[in-house]
Amino acid sequence: MSTDTQNTAVAQPDEHEEGENYLNHETSVWSWLSTKDHKRIGVLYCVTLALVFLAAGVLALVMRAELSGPGETMMANDTYNQVFSMHGIMMVFLFLVPSIPAILGNFVLPMQIGAKDVAFPRLNLASWYVYLAGATLTIMALLWGGVDTGWTFYTPYSKTTGGGVLWMTSAIFVAGFANIFTGLNFIVTIHKMRAPGMTWNRLPLFVWGMYATSIVQVLATPVIGITMVLLILEQVLQIGIFDPSLGGDPVLFQHFFWFYSHPAVYIMILPAFGIMSELIATFSRSRIFGYRAIALSSVAIAMLGFLVWGHHMFVSGQSVVSSIVFSLITYLIGIPSGIKVFNWVATLYKGSIWLQTPMIYALSFLFLFSIGGFTGIMVGVLSVDVHLHDTYYIVSHFHYVMMGGTVVALLGGMHYWWPKITGRMYNETLGKIAAFLVFVGFNLTFFPQLVLGAKGMPRRYATYADRFTDLHQLSTAGSGVLGVGLFLVLGYALWSLKYGEKAPANPWGAATLEWTNVAALPDPHNFKRTPLITRGPYDFHLADEVFGGGDGEADGDQGLRVPDAAPAAPLEPSRDA
Amino acid sequence: MSDDGHHILPKATLLKVFGGLIFLTVLTVAVAYVPLGPLAVPVAIGIAATKATLVVLYFMALRYDNPVNALTFTIGIIMVMVFITFTMIDTAFRGDMGNVDRQTMGEIEREQEAAQQQQEQIPSEQLRVAPADYPDDRGADAGAASGDSDS
Amino acid sequence: MATDTDIAPAPTETDHHDHPAHLQHHFVSSEQQFDSAKLGMWLFLITEILLFSAMFVAYAVYRQWHPETFVAASETLNVTMGTINTIVLLTSSLTVALSIHYIQKDEVKKCIYNLGATLVLAGGFMVIKYFEYTSKFEHGAYPGGMFDPHGGHYAQLADVPFASQFFSIYFVMTGIHGLHVIIGMAVIGWVAVRAWMGSFSSEYYTPVELTGLYWHLVDIVWIFLFPMLYLI
């Protein structure tokens, strides 16, 4: 799709360029399919994940359409069950979990630490192919009769229902390896591939976010893999570990499932935190407040995230002792999350705020994630959760975190790095309109669901009592607005590939390496010369005014002031043995 | 030389470690035939953990390796511990939520209070269990009270 | 994977000159490449540990609930074969450690002999495993739903509640472990061939080292499986 368009888009040589960049130095289809360039793999992932997001998003719109009135409006109950299951499965396992690491992490992370590539480029490409294999198995699951278990595959129902479950669980097992490969790659890259002078305290916070994410990916993903294998064996060989009719314990499945799937929530949100730190610092032109606190709170969340999975199981029949323990630890997660939000707000304070589209998404994130976080604390309270469990309150809570958090941050990040990825600027006016539509549409969709849930509307039902009609219709209307906003983004993004204004090397005046030391469209090897890092990632003291455009060379008198590029490292880096 | 990842382990060390591993294997099999009761499991797992530690430190040379690799491995082990411990916090106490029938908490509390009152009404001579509970021929109440204070 | 050993493409940048053939273009030095590969391997190993951990949790939970069943069922396993297999696998760990020792000293031949010995021992392990499995299948000691013990000392298990859970866990754990042994054999065979073709020396032996790490992990898993399933 857009890969081809991008090639034509940059076919005309850019006047800022000396010609060769990562998009045009090879253009055959095979050069894309066999690429080991982290930037191209990021683009491949971007196209693939955009398609998945589109499919899963359309399913969401279909669900909301069904819920536009009580009773059966457009599909049978069984169909509805399959639609919400596939929406959840595709969004969580095939979109949200890989999204930011695979697209932006792949594209940006090596550049941000001054590396030529990730540590294992072939593994990186393998990750994309493995992901494709997972996606193919998902399609097989659909052809095989679909899945109607919800995204959680709870036993014993998942053992007895349709053959699609077998394909779907295999898909998740396979796609899990794609995440492990990416996470493993990033950890090694961050540890071993940093440019000279790039100390841990000079890492951009996006890198810290990716680091914490990768730890969780590596530690948690194998468990979902083996859980899915056990579920398959349960179906095929009747091993009786989860099936109560064979003496197994279905709650044990929930433990296994949530040991991965709760940390997976942090796999989804930690990269979003990283993007937020970049956006807030760059667009308020101020050094990030509490750098170390933000960096370490990511790692703290990653670790604490492993100790709270039981809060998904308060009404599953697990022991009350463990419910109490899990509930208590759940409160603790609020602390590092709060630290981040306060630090971002403190960074905004007295900053020179530049309301470009990425910043609007960042501010949306602050609002939406705060609601997501607070409702999260509420459902973490053991007694409250007994009432709210399996209601729309939960649905709304995790959409505020996953959609309002991760997807909004991803949108912000995509706008922010769009010039670097495509060499083109998107349309700023349309961007602002779309950001506004997304924000309004999102709240319109999900705020009524908080109220619905508190009133007792259970989740996963194709129909509802008449008294819920108004709020459900409001929510459906909101989903329409949200859909329009997202399609607008897709539209002007594709448009910009061909007709967008050519982007300068550093349109935002940002201070991280991918902006200061890399050409507008990056070189195949990122840097002409490996940079030597002598300052922190948010030293904006060179830029005292922000307006209009500019380019990396014209640092000074007119236009946007951009931070100086880092000097090149000595030819024989000192660590060469 | 101890942390550059190119440490060459002497053959003698490898053979000594191997000897230790074989010895521990024989030991754990032998111990399995000794009736240790509740200690059997911890002893067996302890010996296995010792063997695993030997393999990790010497065969895998983690002792001489880059500290970050040791940290990685340690975090992995900690996560396994977390997984087992927290799951077992549930499974060990499964079913402790006894009030899952139609009784309300209020009813249960009232019942408990009634039972407690009944308990308190038990004549204290029935509570006498030790010789100290039978001092002289004093009144029943006083006897129980002094019995408490004496012991 | 972590054993990434591409011959580096022609250098595209001027600041790269006369680097060794095994050095990939995006690394600065062999040292950096070796350290990266090794950290990557350790990370891969902890994913393996976490993969097995779920099965250990299942074992712990069911043992906690049905301790008598586990004692009774584990008595039907063949301790002699288990012990022999443990010693076989420990020995193979020694030989793989020795192969690294020799390649570090540039004694390629001895390295290949030790890798070969490791292969033979791993094969022996699988053969013993095969006999253990078939003797169980003969007596109907299948996992889970097909569990139908009869004949020999298996017959008594018919009256032990939840005995099928033990055998489910036994077959799943040893089965996935066996799969790892087979994968390990393939990788060791590949490394031995590469060594025979002269790809490795004391300068560059990353694949040997990483394969060794993987093999030791397979050994460690068995070190725990042996007492858990056979002895207690």
Side-chain angles (χ1 to χ4, degrees):
Chain A
M1 192 190 85
S2 70
T3 53
D4 290 351
T5 351
Q6 278 167 20
N7 279 333
T8 54
V10 294
Q12 317 92 355
D14 190 319
E15 61 196 43
H16 296 290
E17 297 294 313
E18 290 158 21
E20 196 177 68
N21 61 50
Y22 87 103
L23 289 171
N24 70 3
H25 79 115
E26 286 175 311
T27 51
S28 68
V29 173
W30 177 245
S31 77
W32 278 89
L33 295 180
S34 65
T35 183
K36 289 183 218 107
D37 182 351
H38 66 98
K39 300 179 288 298
R40 286 185 159 213
I41 294 169
V43 173
L44 288 175
Y45 254 123
C46 178
V47 175
T48 326
L49 289 176
L51 291 173
V52 173
F53 184 60
L54 184 68
V58 168
L59 288 178
L61 291 176
V62 170
M63 277 159 70
R64 282 317 316 170
E66 161 65 26
L67 292 169
S68 58
E72 191 176 310
T73 48
M74 58 181 283
M75 64 177 85
N77 292 350
D78 282 344
T79 318
Y80 181 83
N81 291 346
Q82 298 205 348
V83 170
F84 80 69
S85 299
M86 287 315 294
H87 166 73
I89 291 166
M90 287 168 74
M91 278 294 189
V92 172
F93 292 110
L94 296 177
F95 176 71
L96 283 167
V97 167
S99 62
I100 297 176
I103 303 172
L104 293 174
N106 260 332
F107 192 90
V108 175
L109 185 137
M111 287 196 269
Q112 280 196 329
I113 62 173
K116 281 185 208 154
D117 206 325
V118 291
F120 310 118
R122 285 200 293 183
L123 187 67
N124 204 15
L125 181 64
S127 152
W128 183 65
Y129 278 104
V130 169
Y131 175 84
L132 281 191
T136 313
L137 286 167
T138 308
I139 295 168
M140 293 302 289
L142 283 171
L143 298 177
W144 219 262
V147 178
D148 62 351
T149 58
W151 74 280
T152 48
F153 300 103
Y154 276 4
T155 51
Y157 180 63
S158 59
K159 197 197 148 190
T160 55
T161 179
V165 172
L166 223 53
W167 288 103
M168 200 60 238
T169 43
S170 326
I172 290 168
F173 175 75
V174 170
F177 281 99
N179 302 325
I180 292 178
F181 291 170
T182 306
L184 190 154
N185 227 329
F186 285 173
I187 294 180
V188 178
T189 306
I190 295 168
H191 267 281
K192 303 289 183 191
M193 307 291 286
R194 285 170 287 139
M198 180 58 86
T199 60
W200 286 91
N201 283 331
R202 286 177 183 163
L203 286 180
L205 285 165
F206 180 67
V207 176
W208 271 104
M210 293 307 312
Y211 184 66
T213 309
S214 303
I215 294 175
V216 186
Q217 277 183 322
V218 166
L219 288 171
T221 317
V223 175
I224 194 73
I226 191 69
T227 308
M228 291 297 132
V229 169
L230 289 174
L231 187 55
I232 292 168
L233 291 176
E234 186 81 49
Q235 280 215 354
V236 177
L237 296 176
Q238 311 285 322
I239 55 172
I241 288 179
F242 301 136
D243 182 357
S245 68
L246 293 171
D249 180 31
V251 179
L252 193 62
F253 175 83
Q254 298 189 21
H255 278 296
F256 286 10
F257 182 82
W258 289 113
F259 182 83
Y260 165 74
S261 293
H262 190 76
V265 171
Y266 300 107
I267 295 178
M268 303 180 223
I269 197 69
L270 283 169
F273 290 158
I275 291 179
M276 278 298 291
S277 303
E278 297 294 315
L279 297 186
I280 297 246
T282 302
F283 289 96
S284 50
R285 316 297 300 169
S286 57
R287 194 185 287 248
I288 198 98
F289 186 88
Y291 171 89
R292 200 167 289 201
I294 294 183
L296 295 181
S297 63
S298 287
V299 181
I301 290 175
M303 287 300 150
L304 272 178
F306 277 97
L307 307 177
V308 299
W309 78 82
H311 66 215
H312 296 269
M313 301 164 57
F314 285 161
V315 300
S316 70
Q318 77 172 345
S319 72
V320 178
V321 176
S322 67
S323 289
I324 291 169
V325 171
F326 280 126
S327 182
L328 280 172
I329 304 174
T330 301
Y331 303 156
L332 295 181
I333 289 274
I335 297 171
S337 313
I339 286 176
K340 282 181 185 296
V341 172
F342 285 130
N343 278 319
W344 291 325
V345 174
T347 307
L348 291 174
Y349 178 69
K350 287 192 174 168
S352 165
I353 292 173
W354 191 23
L355 274 181
Q356 293 296 85
T357 309
M359 186 58 164
I360 295 176
Y361 280 113
L363 296 177
S364 301
F365 177 100
L366 274 184
F367 182 83
L368 300 174
F369 177 73
S370 297
I371 294 184
F374 285 133
T375 52
I377 297 288
M378 284 178 70
V379 294
V381 178
L382 182 47
S383 51
V384 177
D385 183 71
V386 172
H387 173 65
L388 294 175
H389 191 88
D390 267 349
T391 67
Y392 266 60
Y393 195 90
I394 302 290
V395 175
S396 181
H397 152 67
F398 69 72
H399 278 90
Y400 264 100
V401 179
M402 299 289 87
M403 173 90 197
T406 307
V407 176
V408 163
L410 174 66
L411 284 169
M414 284 306 293
H415 284 84
Y416 179 60
W417 280 297
W418 191 254
K420 190 58 63 182
I421 298 173
T422 65
R424 302 277 173 162
M425 300 299 292
Y426 58 89
N427 185 310
E428 191 60 46
T429 317
L430 288 175
K432 281 176 180 154
I433 293 172
F436 178 75
L437 286 176
V438 167
F439 180 76
V440 171
F442 179 86
N443 281 301
L444 209 52
T445 311
F446 291 105
F447 204 83
Q449 294 189 2
L450 282 177
V451 184
L452 278 171
K455 285 183 169 179
M457 171 73 206
R459 68 193 278 202
R460 295 180 170 175
Y461 278 62
T463 182
Y464 46 84
D466 287 339
R467 65 198 158 97
F468 295 129
T469 308
D470 293 346
L471 286 167
H472 264 300
Q473 285 176 344
L474 198 58
S475 180
T476 301
S479 73
V481 178
L482 184 55
V484 170
L486 289 173
F487 276 111
L488 183 58
V489 174
L490 180 66
Y492 68 69
L494 292 178
W495 187 85
S496 78
L497 290 179
K498 194 156 172 64
Y499 305 105
E501 189 190 330
K502 281 207 170 53
N506 190 357
W508 315 120
T512 42
L513 287 178
E514 83 276 26
W515 299 109
T516 57
N517 282 45
V518 173
L521 266 173
D523 184 83
H525 295 288
N526 295 349
F527 303 96
K528 302 278 184 208
R529 288 278 306 277
T530 300
L532 175 70
I533 288 79
T534 52
R535 57 171 172 77
Y538 306 109
D539 285 340
F540 293 103
H541 53 273
L542 293 171
D544 40 26
E545 265 183 67
V546 178
F547 43 77
D551 64 75
E553 312 306 319
D555 180 23
D557 307 333
Q558 76 281 359
L560 180 72
R561 301 196 54 160
V562 298
D564 282 333
L571 287 181
E572 292 290 328
S574 53
R575 54 167 136 167
D576 198 345
Chain B
M1 188 64 199
S2 66
D3 59 344
D4 70 348
H6 285 285
H7 184 89
I8 302 180
L9 276 152
K11 211 157 103 185
T13 312
L14 294 174
L15 288 172
K16 265 186 226 160
V17 171
F18 177 68
L21 289 169
I22 297 295
F23 168 74
L24 287 169
T25 306
V26 174
L27 179 70
T28 191
V29 174
V31 163
Y33 293 100
V34 180
L36 287 172
L39 283 178
V41 178
V43 166
I45 298 296
I47 294 176
T50 314
K51 286 164 73 180
T53 312
L54 279 177
V55 173
V56 170
L57 288 183
Y58 294 98
F59 281 1
M60 299 170 94
L62 199 55
R63 199 182 152 187
Y64 311 100
D65 209 341
N66 203 323
V68 73
N69 294 343
L71 181 70
T72 305
F73 185 72
T74 314
I75 289 175
I77 298 299
I78 289 172
M79 281 306 146
V80 176
M81 299 292 178
V82 164
F83 194 6
I84 293 182
T85 312
F86 278 68
T87 307
M88 288 183 83
I89 289 178
D90 166 30
T91 55
F93 300 100
R94 189 69 69 76
D96 59 354
M97 193 161 64
N99 59 331
V100 287
D101 53 11
R102 278 196 221 121
Q103 273 187 322
T104 61
M105 291 301 284
E107 282 168 349
I108 292 171
E109 275 167 16
R110 274 194 292 281
E111 263 178 31
Q112 282 171 348
E113 271 170 31
Q116 207 176 353
Q117 279 169 1
Q118 214 176 358
Q119 184 97 16
E120 282 163 5
Q121 282 162 8
I122 292 171
S124 45
E125 54 263 33
Q126 287 183 15
L127 295 173
R128 290 175 177 170
V129 286
D133 290 337
Y134 296 87
D136 305 322
D137 278 322
R138 278 188 286 161
D141 289 339
S146 65
D148 281 347
S149 59
D150 285 351
S151 60
Chain C
M1 238 219 53
T3 50
D4 208 317
T5 53
D6 225 0
I7 304 300
T12 48
E13 289 182 66
T14 48
D15 56 346
H16 267 200
H17 44 90
D18 80 309
H19 56 261
H22 60 262
L23 182 64
Q24 292 182 299
H25 79 279
H26 59 287
F27 287 111
V28 175
S29 64
S30 302
E31 200 62 40
Q32 187 193 21
Q33 182 171 337
F34 178 78
D35 281 353
S36 302
K38 213 162 171 191
L39 177 58
M41 194 63 197
W42 276 103
L43 285 164
F44 174 71
L45 293 187
I46 64 170
T47 69
E48 290 280 12
I49 293 172
L50 265 294
L51 185 95
F52 278 100
S53 75
M55 292 178 279
F56 282 98
V57 171
Y59 175 91
V61 166
Y62 282 102
R63 190 181 179 95
Q64 179 190 31
W65 280 340
H66 316 296
E68 315 79 24
T69 306
F70 273 59
V71 171
S74 81
E75 275 166 9
T76 63
L77 299 192
N78 192 327
V79 178
T80 318
M81 281 192 172
T83 312
I84 293 172
N85 249 354
T86 309
I87 290 171
V88 166
L89 215 50
L90 286 174
T91 316
S92 75
S93 248
L94 173 71
T95 53
V96 98
L98 283 174
S99 73
I100 296 167
H101 171 83
Y102 284 124
I103 197 72
Q104 283 173 326
K105 291 173 138 187
D106 262 333
E107 297 182 53
V108 180
K109 263 209 179 119
K110 284 186 177 172
C111 165
I112 296 172
Y113 292 154
N114 274 293
L115 287 171
T118 312
L119 261 183
V120 171
L121 289 163
F125 178 88
M126 291 311 291
V127 169
I128 295 174
K129 208 81 230 143
Y130 168 80
F131 285 119
E132 278 193 272
Y133 270 31
T134 44
S135 80
K136 284 178 186 54
F137 293 154
E138 276 166 19
H139 294 102
Y142 290 109
M146 295 170 287
F147 190 63
D148 175 31
H150 53 77
H153 54 304
Y154 293 97
Q156 61 183 21
L157 290 177
D159 304 326
V160 178
F162 299 105
S164 69
Q165 255 76 28
F166 177 86
F167 281 94
S168 293
I169 288 169
Y170 168 81
F171 280 113
V172 172
M173 288 182 113
T174 56
I176 293 182
H177 177 260
L179 193 67
H180 279 81
V181 173
I182 292 170
I183 294 170
M185 286 169 72
V187 177
I188 290 169
W190 171 74
V191 168
V193 171
R194 291 270 317 263
W196 182 70
M197 283 161 52
S199 303
F200 307 131
S201 66
S202 62
E203 286 294 299
Y204 174 67
Y205 57 91
T206 315
V208 188
E209 170 113 12
L210 300 191
T211 309
L213 287 178
Y214 171 82
W215 192 252
H216 293 311
L217 186 87
V218 173
D219 187 24
I220 287 174
V221 172
W222 182 259
I223 285 175
F224 281 99
L225 288 184
F226 171 59
M228 281 167 51
L229 296 170
Y230 290 81
L231 299 179
I232 54 178

